[in-house]
Amino acid sequence: KTVFYAEQGVSVWKILDEKIVKSGKKKITVKKALEKNKFEKIYIMLGINEIGTGTADTFAEQYGKVINTIREKQPDAIIFIQSIMHVTKKKDKEETYIKLKELTNGYDIIWLDENEVFDKKDTGTLDPKYTSDGVHLMPSCVPRWKQFFLEHGIVK
């Protein structure tokens, strides 16, 4: 069974404690949901909304705390950290892209960089044809993203 815990605009600072998970007729926190369920794999993508907030160090530190909490609640799960989606060259004038690869270990915390299928060749920036605002992917990109996961994000 696949479960999604998603909320538009949720940040790395609020992801565990904000009530975003539907549980019956009410919403509970992700932390509570992690206590109630058992997962084999957990995929995390956070950060595009935090670009420009705090520092790279405080962001990475908080992301590490999120990973540690998930590990505590789900000790047997494989955790996949998805890279922060690049933005277009026009949007990235301040070079705000933050890398989180250092939080992975290649064993049970794995790095996924979906940018390889959405970047404009040899630029390190999101190809404008995949976005309407220079930051977020268009819905038509979901099948391409799904295929990336099927090829890179499945560990047995």
Side-chain angles (χ1 to χ4, degrees), residues 57-112:
D57 290 337
T58 59
F59 175 80
E61 180 182 328
Q62 181 61 28
Y63 211 108
K65 288 177 183 178
V66 170
I67 299 297
N68 291 339
T69 300
I70 292 170
R71 173 60 62 226
E72 175 188 309
K73 307 292 182 193
Q74 298 288 320
D76 299 323
I78 297 171
I79 300 171
F80 294 85
I81 299 176
Q82 298 175 71
S83 66
I84 297 173
M85 189 74 67
H86 291 159
V87 295
T88 60
K89 188 172 186 174
K90 182 178 178 181
K91 283 284 185 180
D92 194 32
K93 291 178 183 174
E94 298 175 19
E95 298 180 10
T96 52
Y97 179 69
I98 300 168
K99 294 188 179 182
L100 299 172
K101 194 171 183 179
E102 295 78 28
L103 296 174
T104 66
N105 62 20
Y107 169 66
D108 64 351
I109 303 175
I110 298 170
W111 181 250
L112 290 175

Side-chain angles (χ1 to χ4, degrees), residues 2 4-6 13 18 26 31 45 48 51 54 57 62 74 80-81 85 101 107 112 116-117 124 135 148 151 154:
T2 302
F4 294 91
Y5 299 156
W13 284 275
E18 204 160 293
K26 62 179 185 169
K31 193 183 301 182
M45 181 180 225
I48 194 71
I51 290 178
D57 290 337
Q62 181 61 28
Q74 298 288 320
F80 294 85
I81 299 176
M85 189 74 67
K101 194 171 183 179
Y107 169 66
L112 290 175
E116 66 185 62
V117 296
V135 178
F148 173 82
E151 293 173 5
I154 308 296

